[in-house]
């Protein structure tokens, strides 16, 4: 049998991506049931590597879904369990990755090695290492997601709902809530953060339908008021609250009195790391450059991003020039500043997710989801630039940049290094954030 490398494995994975034509056909059909075949396929593949669904119960799974915040909640939960059970082995499975595919599978906080990834995937890794707990993040949706094959997880959790992946999940919050609630299991506690009424109603119905042992809507944890979370952004308090509830359920701990979080929970929340989410990185290689990285890509998550960035001590400094609209204005009013939202950014850059200037991707970041002609013509980027000009008609056209790659964008930023301070907000997708980390050589500082 020939020996295959990590690079070979990544290339094979990339060949399995749905291409732009398939995704466009899905959008055109309006179907929201495209993923219902994932479960039977996943069960077949599980059998091929020698496992049954029942054996996955040994992983002691905490299953987490939601539209936004599920990765952060998974990271908080993982950190709490590692601090509460210091001698245990904790597995964490998340998606997508930032820079390398193997980031998706972590043991006690550390991504598996390239050698492991060639022959092992998440369930196999965790079963082989006999982990004591597994924090399992859903990829898309829940009901038909390939992670949803564990018969009896220990507890299930749902983060904030929003509109995303409409071709697969449906176009209304009710449709999306139905999909997310599909991870509930008979006899297993179901926990969610507060949701819009229409979403909460569907989740409660799903909990009854699937015979969850309980359905709990958790409020913000009051004990967090004096805790500086390891992940920035006001919205992380909700994710941390859900993580606390999930960990308490898993560990069989009673809900503590008001403000009475265990010390190891507090330490865990303070030490949680999850790159690419409201993350500030001082560039060690470029003078006076600071990167503000957030993978926000939905309306709700972009609002959270702006609330974080357009605030004192982050991207906002009174009297200092910087580089939507209503969000920035609201933040100015909140912090009683007189800045003009039309000049908050000095430059704006719209680029593709292509990593390098030669038109190639880093292997782990390859995507075939966008048609080649669209990439070549920079269709989406020109549309975004036009939308920006409509929002800010007085913004100088010479400061709106449409560029074909992330490396081109980095080079443009480097031309402004003579400024006293350069603050760069990167948002729009985790693929973009990962590409920026790669193209700038920030891996050691950011990951």
């Amino acid at each position: 049998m020939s020996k295959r490398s990590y690079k070979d494995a990544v290339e094979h994975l990339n060949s399995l991506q749905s291409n732009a034509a398939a995704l466009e056909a899905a959008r055109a059909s309006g179907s929201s049931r495209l993923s219902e075949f994932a479960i039977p396929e996943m069960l077949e593949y599980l059998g091929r590597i020698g496992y049954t669904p029942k054996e996955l119960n040994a992983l002691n799974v905490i299953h987490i879904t939601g539209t936004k915040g599920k990765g952060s909640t998974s990271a908080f939960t993982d950190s709490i369990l590692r601090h509460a059970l210091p001698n245990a082995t904790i597995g964490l499975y998340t998606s997508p990755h930032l820079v390398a595919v193997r980031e998706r599978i972590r043991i006690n906080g550390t991504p598996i090695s390239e050698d492991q990834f060639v022959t092992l995937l998440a369930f196999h890794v965790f079963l082989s290492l006999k982990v004591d707990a597994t924090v399992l993040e859903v990829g898309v949706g829940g009901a038909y997601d390939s992670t949803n094959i564990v018969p009896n997880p220990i507890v299930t959790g749902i983060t904030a709902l929003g509109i995303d992946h409409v071709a697969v999940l449906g176009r209304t919050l009710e449709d999306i809530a139905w999909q997310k609630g599909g991870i509930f299991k008979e006899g297993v506690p179901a926990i969610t953060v507060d949701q819009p009424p229409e979403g909460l109603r569907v989740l409660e119905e799903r909990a009854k339908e699937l015979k969850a042992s309980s359905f709990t809507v958790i409020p913000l944890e009051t004990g967090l008021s004096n805790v500086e979370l390891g992940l920035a952004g006001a919205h992380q308090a909700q994710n941390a609250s859900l993580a606390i509830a999930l960990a308490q359920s898993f560990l069989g701990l009673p809900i503590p009195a008001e403000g009475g979080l265990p010390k190891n929970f507090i330490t865990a929340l303070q030490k949680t790391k999850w790159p690419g989410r409201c993350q500030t990185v001082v560039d060690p290689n470029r003078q006076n450059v600071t990167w503000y990285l957030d993978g926000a890509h939905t309306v709700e998550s972009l609002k959270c991003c702006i609330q974080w960035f357009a605030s004192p001590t982050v991207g906002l400094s009174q009297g200092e020039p910087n580089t939507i609209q209503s969000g920035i204005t609201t933040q100015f009013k909140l912090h009683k500043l007189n800045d003009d939202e039309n000049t908050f950014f000095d430059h704006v850059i719209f680029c593709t997710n292509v990593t390098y200037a030669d038109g190639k991707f880093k292997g782990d970041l390859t995507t075939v989801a966008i048609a080649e002609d669209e990439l070549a013509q920079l269709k989406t980027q020109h549309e975004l630039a036009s939308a920006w000009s409509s929002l800010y008609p007085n913004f100088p056209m010479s400061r709106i940049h449409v560029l074909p790659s992330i490396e081109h964008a980095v080079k443009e930023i480097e031309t402004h290094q003579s400024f006293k301070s350069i603050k760069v907000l990167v948002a729009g997708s985790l693929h973009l954030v990962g590409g920026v980390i790669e193209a700038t050589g920030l891996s050691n500082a950011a990951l």
Side-chain angles (χ1 to χ4, degrees):
M1 182 176 177
S2 62
K3 181 176 175 63
R4 292 182 177 177
S5 66
Y6 173 75
K7 181 180 178 182
D8 294 330
V10 171
E11 288 177 354
H12 280 289
L13 280 176
N14 289 336
S15 73
L16 298 175
Q17 291 186 40
S18 299
N19 62 27
L23 293 172
E24 182 55 38
R27 283 191 286 266
S29 72
S31 171
S32 63
R33 311 287 286 190
L34 294 174
S35 53
E36 61 187 277
F37 302 109
I39 297 299
E41 287 178 352
M42 188 65 178
L43 292 173
E44 179 185 345
Y45 299 148
L46 188 69
R48 289 187 186 181
I49 63 172
Y51 295 110
T52 65
K54 187 176 181 180
E55 288 177 281
L56 300 183
N57 290 333
L59 296 176
N60 297 322
V61 166
I62 298 175
H63 206 186
I64 299 172
T65 190
T67 302
K68 59 184 188 291
K70 61 182 185 291
S72 297
T73 300
S74 298
F76 277 128
T77 306
D78 170 68
S79 185
I80 291 172
L81 293 182
R82 284 189 283 115
H83 284 79
L85 302 170
N87 296 319
T89 301
I90 309 299
L92 172 63
Y93 178 77
T94 59
S95 62
H97 57 277
L98 277 182
V99 176
V101 179
R102 60 191 180 84
E103 296 168 22
R104 299 184 181 212
I105 307 171
R106 297 172 186 255
I107 301 294
N108 290 337
T110 302
I112 61 171
S113 70
E114 291 187 2
D115 290 337
Q116 285 176 305
F117 184 81
V118 174
T119 55
L120 302 174
L121 294 176
F123 287 136
H124 184 59
V125 171
F126 297 155
L127 285 166
S128 298
L129 296 178
K130 295 180 172 59
V131 298
D132 300 288
T134 300
V135 181
L136 189 65
E137 180 195 355
V138 165
V140 175
Y144 303 127
D145 187 73
S146 58
T147 62
N148 198 29
I149 60 172
V150 182
N152 299 111
I154 305 300
V155 62
T156 58
I158 297 186
T159 65
L161 297 177
I163 303 298
D164 197 13
H165 301 293
V166 294
V168 176
L169 304 181
R171 299 183 179 278
T172 68
L173 202 63
E174 291 92 335
D175 289 339
I176 290 170
W178 188 92
Q179 293 277 358
K180 304 291 184 184
I183 70 167
F184 297 156
K185 299 290 185 298
E186 183 174 354
V188 176
I191 303 175
T192 180
V193 299
D194 195 20
Q195 308 283 3
E198 63 272 32
L200 192 59
R201 175 180 55 79
V202 174
L203 289 179
E204 189 166 12
E205 290 172 355
R206 289 289 268 163
K208 291 177 181 177
E209 172 195 349
L210 297 172
K211 301 179 180 178
S213 62
S214 60
F215 178 75
T216 307
V217 181
I218 56 109
L220 286 179
E221 169 58 56
T222 57
L224 292 176
S225 57
N226 296 316
V227 177
E228 184 177 351
L229 298 174
L231 305 184
H235 59 289
Q236 294 293 359
Q238 185 181 65
N239 297 328
S241 297
L242 178 58
I244 290 166
L246 291 170
Q248 287 170 338
S249 179
F250 180 90
L251 295 167
L253 297 176
I255 297 175
E258 186 172 326
L261 284 177
K263 287 185 179 180
N264 53 6
F265 275 44
I266 293 173
T267 300
L269 294 168
Q270 292 171 329
K271 291 188 174 183
T272 300
K273 296 184 183 300
W274 202 232
R277 285 81 170 175
C278 293
Q279 181 185 16
T280 301
V281 182
V282 177
D283 196 319
N285 305 313
R286 295 168 184 81
Q287 189 175 7
N288 303 327
V289 177
T290 302
W291 301 87
Y292 299 86
L293 310 175
D294 192 61
H297 62 283
T298 66
V299 172
E300 295 86 358
S301 59
L302 283 166
K303 286 180 180 177
C304 292
C305 174
I306 282 298
Q307 287 171 1
W308 161 68
F309 181 71
S311 61
T313 73
V314 186
L316 185 65
S317 299
Q318 191 170 10
E320 179 183 297
N322 306 277
T323 292
I324 105 278
Q325 190 175 33
S326 62
I328 295 174
T329 303
T330 299
Q331 290 299 102
F332 286 164
K333 291 179 180 177
L334 176 65
H335 301 297
K336 299 178 181 179
L337 298 176
N338 297 317
D339 297 56
D340 181 359
E341 67 269 17
N342 289 285
T343 58
F344 181 64
F345 292 103
D346 289 322
H347 294 262
V348 292
I349 300 173
F350 300 102
C351 69
T352 69
N353 284 345
V354 175
T355 314
Y356 304 117
D358 63 4
K360 295 181 180 179
F361 290 88
K362 180 182 185 290
D364 297 74
L365 299 174
T366 299
T367 178
V368 296
I370 303 173
E372 289 186 12
D373 60 333
E374 278 196 33
L375 276 178
Q377 297 168 17
L378 303 179
K379 179 181 176 183
T380 299
Q381 289 68 39
H382 282 294
E383 289 174 350
L384 291 170
S386 177
W388 181 273
S389 293
S390 297
L391 284 171
Y392 303 108
N394 296 324
F395 198 91
M397 292 297 295
S398 62
R399 295 189 173 191
I400 302 175
H401 311 274
V402 173
L403 301 173
S405 76
I406 294 170
E407 187 176 359
H408 280 97
V410 173
K411 290 179 184 288
E412 172 61 33
I413 291 163
E414 289 174 341
T415 66
H416 302 283
Q417 280 189 260
S418 59
F419 285 92
K420 179 182 177 182
S421 173
I422 301 176
K423 297 181 176 182
V424 188
L425 173 63
V426 181
S429 79
L430 285 169
H431 298 291
L432 176 63
V433 170
V436 167
I437 291 173
E438 170 66 20
T440 54
L442 284 176
S443 290
N444 288 337
L447 300 180

